[in-house]
Amino acid sequence: MNLVTYLGKQILGVLACYQQDDIVIHICGVYPQWDNRLRVFFPRGHALQVGELVTLHLDNRSGVDEFDSGIRVYRASYKGRVLSVEDDWALLAPRECVLMHGFAPVVEIAEPGYAFPADPRPEHPVPASPLQHMPRIEGRDRENKVGVLITQAQEQPHTTVLAFLSSEDDDIFLITFPETFKSRLLKRNPHCFFVMDERATFTFERAIQWNYTIIEGDAHQIANGSALFESVRQAFIDKNPWELPFFIREDLEMYHLRRRRVVCPGTRRTLD
């Protein structure tokens, strides 16, 4: 089986990579190939070089109006290597990729000998959120609006798709659980990025740089059981009732991403 079968021949993607001591995030057009390589178009250009490692968030929400409790869309975090570059294009080969549908994998790819890199960095408690009260939530958020969290894994960034809430001041609220990879990465380094999907529809559009907002920020945890926690949880339930089974778990973790800045696609940001 291959990615084209499930994702189609053209989709939008969020690409992240490390370049020297910086991280760069691109919004790009992605053209899956039958051999699971990806042809990627960068509307603002790129500085990728052959051999560099990149991570791409992929999903097939084109034509899907809303999520439900089964999360019946195909989605993947594609860890790739740059094979060639030509002008505003790059060709990627997969290192590792698991394409999910609902909660089950449908395509699993790994190059021979691939293993997740060891991560010796210790985990630390994420700083507590300074918020005392829930801020005014952004009224323009679509009920099905989702985004891509980019965290600092070893070798290449990690991407994961999440439902979220955002405030008028670009505070981002997320939920997850202690056993997830993203939770462990945030405890190793809370500096992260969140890419908000601004599309009103999920059709393929060529003006792709206008479809997303990239927020650079720092994760803070909201104490489970606090008044703020309960207020944010209820707002999530109101916005995303299909996620209700997740919200009532006792071990729910809630994160508040405080904005550092809004980032333009392709801009180099210093790692820390």
Side-chain angles (χ1 to χ4, degrees):
M1 305 300 289
N2 56 64
L3 298 176
V4 176
T5 302
Y6 300 101
L7 297 177
K9 295 184 178 180
Q10 58 177 21
I11 53 177
L12 300 180
V14 177
L15 182 147
C17 62
Y18 301 138
Q19 294 184 328
Q20 297 177 347
D21 293 327
D22 299 329
I23 186 170
V24 181
I25 299 168
H26 291 277
I27 308 301
C28 45
V30 182
Y31 300 82
Q33 308 295 292
W34 290 105
D35 59 3
N36 291 322
R37 295 187 298 177
L38 303 177
R39 291 185 68 240
V40 183
F41 173 69
F42 300 83
R44 294 175 179 240
H46 66 87
L48 295 177
Q49 298 190 19
V50 173
E52 285 191 308
L53 304 180
V54 304
T55 304
L56 262 167
H57 166 73
L58 305 173
D59 68 55
N60 77 327
R61 284 180 297 122
S62 294
V64 177
D65 291 330
E66 61 184 11
F67 283 153
D68 58 23
S69 60
I71 318 180
R72 289 189 287 267
V73 296
Y74 296 99
R75 62 202 186 280
S77 182
Y78 180 104
K79 298 174 181 65
R81 186 190 309 276
V82 178
L83 288 182
S84 63
V85 295
E86 182 179 358
D87 299 326
D88 294 337
W89 292 83
L91 180 64
L92 310 181
R95 302 185 73 209
E96 189 272 344
C97 177
V98 178
L99 182 69
M100 301 290 293
H101 185 261
F103 302 102
V106 292
V107 175
E108 298 183 68
I109 306 163
E111 66 180 3
Y114 177 83
F116 280 103
D119 193 340
R121 297 174 297 172
E123 296 182 17
H124 300 286
V126 175
S129 171
L131 290 178
Q132 298 298 313
H133 306 284
M134 186 171 174
R136 187 181 297 273
I137 295 299
E138 174 57 69
R140 294 176 301 170
D141 280 3
R142 290 174 55 85
E143 291 183 357
N144 59 343
K145 191 174 181 182
V146 298
V148 178
L149 176 66
I150 300 169
T151 44
Q152 296 185 42
Q154 298 289 82
E155 292 190 350
Q156 54 202 116
H158 177 67
T159 63
T160 185
V161 64
L162 289 168
F164 71 99
L165 294 172
S166 63
S167 76
E168 293 180 349
D169 293 326
D170 289 332
D171 298 287
I172 307 294
F173 298 96
L174 310 171
I175 63 163
T176 187
F177 304 100
E179 70 271 15
T180 63
F181 191 44
K182 54 184 170 288
S183 172
R184 300 188 64 186
L185 288 175
L186 289 174
K187 293 176 177 111
R188 290 182 172 115
N189 189 338
H191 180 205
C192 58
F193 297 79
F194 196 78
V195 183
M196 294 188 285
D197 191 335
E198 303 281 3
R199 287 178 288 170
T201 63
F202 296 130
T203 57
F204 185 87
E205 302 170 24
R206 294 194 176 279
I208 56 182
Q209 63 266 35
W210 300 109
N211 289 322
Y212 297 84
T213 298
I214 305 172
I215 302 292
E216 179 180 8
D218 299 285
H220 296 72
Q221 194 158 4
I222 299 175
N224 194 323
S226 67
L228 178 61
F229 184 97
E230 296 303 333
S231 296
V232 175
R233 170 155 58 184
Q234 186 58 52
F236 263 111
I237 292 172
D238 293 341
K239 181 182 175 184
N240 300 294
W242 55 271
E243 280 197 306
L244 180 61
F246 299 101
F247 296 130
I248 61 177
R249 278 182 49 172
E250 293 183 359
D251 59 344
L252 179 75
E253 289 184 341
M254 184 179 294
Y255 289 98
H256 163 215
L257 271 54
R258 295 187 70 192
R259 182 192 67 180
R260 290 192 187 185
R261 59 186 61 84
V262 177
V263 178
C264 292
T267 302
R268 298 171 75 101
R269 302 302 314 154
T270 301
L271 295 168
D272 60 14

